[in-house]
Amino acid sequence: MDTWLNEVQKHPALYVLCCSVTFRILHRFLQTVPSPGTVDTDPWRTWKWRNLSVSLVHSLLTGIWAVTCVIQHPVMVHEIHSTYTPSAYMLVVVSSGYFIQDAGDIIFSGYAKASWEFLLHHVMVIWCFLYAVFTHQYVAGAVVALFVEVNSVFLHTRLLLKLAKVAHESFIYTVNKLLNVVTYVTFRLGAQFYLTWYLIYHYSTLDHALYFLITMMLMNIMILIYFYRLLRTDFFNKRHPHNSGRKFAED
C-alpha cells in the first residue's frame, strides 16, 4: 500500500487528470442512456440531467468512501492537518478530478451564468483539495469535508426529480426531501461547522489557517442560504408553481 501511495504522490497531477477524464467518460456514456421526456424537450434540462447524474455517481462513491475512511481511522477527525491514510489520500485525488471535470463542464457548456453558485463552490473546493493533494497537508480535513457528499446524494436526487417533474406530493419526493433535510443538518452543516470550529480553535498552530478559514466562512454562508431556499421550497411553499428549468439551479 505504501509503494502504491508513493507512486501516486510522485505524480499527483497525472492521477487527478486521469480521474477527471474518467468522470468525463462517464458523462459521455450517460448521454446514451435514455432520459425522461420532460428533460429531452429543452437543451438546458438535458445538460443539467447529465451533469447531475455524474454528480450523483460521485456523491454515492465519495460519501460512502469518506465515512469509511473515518471509521477505519478515527484519529483523522482530531488531526485534520497532518493525519491521513492511503485510501483517504486517493479519495481526495478522485474527488479533485471530479470537481475539475464538473467545473469544466459548467464553463464549456455555456451555462456558467445560470450555474455560477456551483462554479464558485467548485473553485473553492478545487483550491483546497489540490493544496491537500500536492502538500499532503489537510488531507483528513478534505475527507471530513466530503461527508457533505452523503447529503449531496439526496440533493442531486431532489433536483433530478424536479427536472423529471415528479409531483411534490409523491411518495418518492416526500421520502427524499425528509432524508435530504436530515442529512443536510447532520452531514453538511455538521461537517462544515466542525471544520470551521477546528480552524478557529487551532488557528495559531495551522499552516495557512486564514485562507482556509475565509474559504470555510464563504461556504458556510452559501450553504445556509441554500438551506433556507430548500426549506422554503420543500416545506413552506404550498403553491408548488411550475418554475422554469433554470430556477432549479437556485432551488
Side-chain angles (χ1 to χ4, degrees), residues 117-118 155 158-159 162 168 173 180 225-234 237 241 243-251:
E117 292 170 327
F118 296 112
L155 271 181
R158 173 182 178 273
L159 292 177
K162 289 171 72 70
H168 285 212
Y173 193 97
N180 187 26
I225 292 173
Y226 194 88
F227 190 49
Y228 163 74
R229 292 177 177 176
L230 183 68
L231 293 176
R232 180 193 64 191
T233 304
D234 277 356
N237 184 1
N243 297 324
S244 63
R246 304 193 182 190
K247 187 68 168 63
F248 293 131
E250 301 175 0
D251 293 332

Side-chain angles (χ1 to χ4, degrees), residues 34-50 111 162-165 243-246 248:
S35 54
T38 55
V39 172
D40 293 333
T41 57
D42 180 78
W44 186 87
R45 286 173 177 268
T46 301
W47 168 78
K48 193 64 178 175
W49 181 270
R50 312 298 185 208
Y111 296 115
K162 289 171 72 70
L163 283 171
K165 294 189 176 181
N243 297 324
S244 63
R246 304 193 182 190
F248 293 131

Side-chain angles (χ1 to χ4, degrees), residues 45-239:
R45 286 173 177 268
T46 301
W47 168 78
K48 193 64 178 175
W49 181 270
R50 312 298 185 208
N51 179 270
L52 285 169
S53 297
V54 176
S55 298
L56 180 58
V57 172
H58 169 261
S59 295
L60 286 166
L61 172 66
T62 59
I64 295 172
W65 194 346
V67 173
T68 302
C69 283
V70 170
I71 291 174
Q72 293 177 339
H73 200 68
V75 70
M76 286 197 296
V77 175
H78 307 291
E79 299 177 6
I80 70 170
H81 175 254
S82 58
T83 303
Y84 65 93
T85 63
S87 178
Y89 183 83
M90 196 61 203
L91 167 60
V92 181
V93 170
V94 170
S95 199
S96 297
Y98 159 76
F99 282 110
I100 291 173
Q101 184 280 146
D102 199 52
D105 185 40
I106 292 172
I107 293 170
F108 294 113
S109 66
Y111 296 115
K113 185 177 180 180
S115 304
W116 70 269
E117 292 170 327
F118 296 112
L119 191 58
L120 176 60
H121 168 270
H122 285 11
V123 169
M124 291 190 289
V125 170
I126 289 168
W127 115 255
C128 291
F129 279 21
L130 288 184
Y131 180 93
V133 169
F134 283 98
T135 68
H136 310 156
Q137 297 178 338
Y138 295 103
V139 174
V143 171
V144 174
L146 284 169
F147 270 43
V148 305
E149 294 301 327
V150 175
N151 169 247
S152 292
V153 171
F154 303 103
L155 271 181
H156 297 323
T157 299
R158 173 182 178 273
L159 292 177
L160 287 169
L161 291 173
K162 289 171 72 70
L163 283 171
K165 294 189 176 181
V166 174
H168 285 212
E169 297 79 10
S170 67
F171 176 77
I172 186 172
Y173 193 97
T174 300
V175 171
N176 186 80
K177 77 175 183 180
L178 292 174
L179 291 173
N180 187 26
V181 75
V182 170
T183 56
Y184 203 106
V185 172
T186 54
F187 285 92
R188 186 171 296 274
L189 294 178
Q192 289 282 140
F193 292 165
Y194 172 76
L195 290 173
T196 303
W197 169 84
Y198 189 99
L199 289 169
I200 294 173
Y201 188 79
H202 299 278
Y203 184 85
S204 61
T205 62
L206 298 176
D207 295 333
H208 305 296
L210 178 61
Y211 298 105
F212 288 106
L213 185 57
I214 291 173
T215 301
M216 290 303 301
M217 294 304 294
L218 289 173
M219 286 190 177
N220 290 342
I221 293 171
M222 292 177 66
I223 66 173
L224 286 173
I225 292 173
Y226 194 88
F227 190 49
Y228 163 74
R229 292 177 177 176
L230 183 68
L231 293 176
R232 180 193 64 191
T233 304
D234 277 356
F235 294 93
F236 300 105
N237 184 1
K238 301 303 182 181
R239 295 175 299 170

